Amino acid sequence: MYAVIRRYAGVTDPAEAGRLVDEGFVSILRRVPGFVAYYWVDAGDGVMLSTSVFDDKAGADESVRRAADFVRENLASLLPNPPQVTAGQVVAAG
């Protein structure tokens, strides 16, 4: 498995960002081959985190492309700063 974590700082409206991600982006990710799981987390203080898990790196890479498109088209005013993206092979899971 392969995971991608994105950290967004300076989120202007976390509740609205969460609604848009839930209503729009989740269904987009579910169609990416190898999709396993996705989580969108409100960490407080204008910080939100997303965690995507895929069977392989190809699915994770596609999720990064689709996330960038979705943010640009739907969330630019709510997520004014580019995310910090961390990705890698899952080496342990529970």
Side-chain angles (χ1 to χ4, degrees):
M1 286 189 298
Y2 205 85
V4 180
I5 300 166
R6 296 175 196 84
R7 182 184 189 276
Y8 297 89
V11 179
T12 60
D13 187 342
E16 180 65 3
R19 184 186 71 78
L20 292 170
V21 167
D22 187 50
E23 293 177 2
F25 186 60
V26 172
S27 64
I28 291 169
L29 271 190
R30 285 186 175 141
R31 294 191 299 265
V32 174
F35 173 82
V36 174
Y38 179 78
Y39 305 96
W40 179 257
V41 177
D42 183 348
D45 295 326
V47 173
M48 300 195 89
L49 307 168
S50 70
T51 302
S52 307
V53 182
F54 291 86
D55 287 332
D56 56 29
K57 186 178 185 310
D61 289 345
E62 179 62 21
S63 81
V64 171
R65 284 188 287 281
R66 292 188 189 193
D69 290 345
F70 188 83
V71 168
R72 184 176 51 256
E73 295 169 9
N74 301 282
L75 296 172
S77 66
L78 301 174
L79 307 176
N81 303 312
Q84 178 184 29
V85 180
T86 304
Q89 188 73 35
V90 174
V91 296

